Amino acid sequence: MLYFLFVVLGLALLILGGDWLLKSAVALSLRLAIPKIVIGMTVVSFATSAPELIVSIKSALDGLPDLALGNVVGSNIANLGLVLAVTVLLGSIDVRKSFYTTDWPVMMLASLLFVGFIYFDGVLQQYEGIIMVALLFVFLVYLLRFQKPAVVDELPEDDKPLPLYKIVLLLGVGGVALWGGSELLIKGAVGLASSFGVSDRVIGITIVSVGTSIPELAASIIAVLKKEKAISLGNLIGSNIFNLLAVLGITSIITPIRVLDQGLLTNDIFWMLGVSFMILPLVFIPKGLRLGWRDGIVLLLTYIFFVYVTVS
């Protein structure tokens, strides 16, 4: 009963945190005259990736590397297979050229780099973590200097500027609410799952990863409902890049991460690559440069099948 209460309370905090974070991100982009896609891929992505970072570092230090890796790999699959699916089922997203010239290629590069580092020796070493964090830094510098909006914002006139103290307050409170909510949700979910005797990898790749993807889900649903789709798409792509380069990069710098359950190397990482790659053809089919409800159904069915294969 206590674990169930943790889950409910965690979800409530995450939804509130997502709303506060979104408000501050939109206001910040207005104040700094930065395209919303850039804010989505930096400020919002970093805040919503904080739960993965905390969980992965703590798991690796506690001697649970499969939970650390499964959490990130599972989160990246959930962000696209579950969160993006739900987002486009609620409303279609029109995509511009810079999505497939910058954002998607960087996500694929980060995914392939991670797989290349871990597949052959089963360890994410300290120097590999340094390379990943350095690549993230280069990407962010490029993003802030050259990136243009990758999604059409339907209601630009709807945005209201906020005083700076309110932006900082909403950003801080939103981030703390997301972190606290995720902590409660993970504690509750792991408590419920471990009572069924499920392995660390399976808990990490399914329950914990979905738990740490709830901030992305909350932020993206609120973004779509408020027509801030530039933030919802940028947030998800940015979050996947952050999860790989920042979360696993920083965690492996602190302590090398060694794979224990081989299912991560024979199954999970290939699902992550496959789902990440799928986004590109879906953007062009059936209608060019758009993600619609049909794409949402394809992604959701893919995610359900992935969970079934992983758990069974």
Side-chain angles (χ1 to χ4, degrees):
M1 188 62 195
L2 183 65
Y3 289 135
F4 181 72
L5 192 67
F6 282 165
V7 170
V8 174
L9 200 61
L11 280 169
L13 273 174
L14 290 167
I15 291 164
L16 284 170
D19 192 31
W20 294 330
L21 200 68
L22 184 68
K23 280 179 185 167
S24 63
V26 173
L28 193 63
S29 70
L30 282 170
R31 181 172 277 269
L32 301 177
I34 293 172
K36 283 183 201 163
I37 191 83
V38 177
I39 294 292
M41 293 185 75
T42 54
V43 178
V44 179
S45 295
F46 194 77
T48 55
S49 287
E52 281 92 342
L53 182 61
I54 295 159
V55 170
S56 291
I57 291 173
K58 191 173 187 309
S59 301
L61 290 173
D62 290 351
L64 302 165
D66 285 344
L67 197 59
L69 289 166
N71 166 39
V72 170
V73 173
S75 270
N76 277 22
I77 298 167
N79 279 349
L80 300 177
L82 179 64
V83 180
L84 184 60
V86 172
T87 304
V88 295
L89 283 169
L90 289 171
S92 62
I93 297 177
D94 291 315
V95 183
R96 283 188 185 163
K97 186 183 169 187
S98 55
F99 164 77
Y100 62 84
T101 57
T102 308
D103 312 332
W104 181 84
V106 172
M107 180 177 70
M108 285 307 299
L109 176 67
S111 302
L112 289 166
L113 185 72
F114 161 66
V115 170
F117 280 160
I118 204 155
Y119 184 72
F120 298 101
D121 61 359
V123 185
L124 201 58
Q125 303 281 7
Q126 193 174 38
Y127 76 90
E128 291 168 337
I130 292 167
I131 292 168
M132 290 166 89
V133 172
L135 184 63
L136 177 70
F137 180 74
V138 170
F139 170 61
L140 289 179
V141 169
Y142 169 81
L143 194 67
L144 291 168
R145 288 195 64 180
F146 304 110
Q147 178 68 290
K148 291 181 173 65
V151 180
V152 179
D153 179 25
E154 292 179 5
L155 296 174
E157 72 285 350
D158 197 37
D159 305 330
K160 294 185 180 76
L162 290 174
L164 189 61
Y165 79 92
K166 265 194 180 173
I167 295 174
V168 173
L169 186 67
L170 283 170
L171 201 62
V173 173
V176 170
L178 286 168
W179 172 76
S182 292
E183 283 286 295
L184 285 171
L185 187 71
I186 292 156
K187 191 178 273 189
V190 172
L192 288 171
S194 59
S195 62
F196 294 101
V198 183
S199 75
D200 285 346
R201 171 188 151 248
V202 172
I203 289 175
I205 209 89
T206 54
I207 293 169
V208 176
S209 70
V210 171
T212 54
S213 286
I214 293 285
E216 283 88 348
L217 183 60
S220 292
I221 287 174
I222 290 160
V224 166
L225 294 177
K226 294 188 175 182
K227 307 292 184 186
E228 298 292 352
K229 292 180 186 174
I231 286 183
S232 66
L233 186 63
N235 173 35
L236 292 177
I237 297 167
S239 192
N240 276 17
I241 295 166
F242 268 80
N243 283 348
L244 291 166
L245 301 181
V247 175
L248 289 181
I250 292 167
T251 304
S252 58
I253 288 169
I254 293 168
T255 177
I257 314 169
R258 185 176 298 277
V259 176
L260 299 179
D261 188 332
Q262 293 303 305
L264 200 96
L265 299 179
T266 57
N267 181 68
D268 307 340
I269 58 172
F270 294 107
W271 274 98
M272 183 188 75
L273 286 177
V275 173
S276 299
F277 180 78
M278 267 175 67
I279 303 303
L280 190 66
L282 286 177
V283 162
F284 293 100
I285 304 166
K287 192 173 178 183
L289 292 178
R290 167 172 281 206
L291 286 170
W293 64 269
R294 291 181 190 86
D295 305 307
I297 290 170
V298 170
L299 287 168
L300 195 56
L301 289 174
T302 303
Y303 184 72
I304 290 166
F305 184 62
F306 156 71
V307 173
Y308 172 76
V309 168
T310 305
V311 173
S312 60

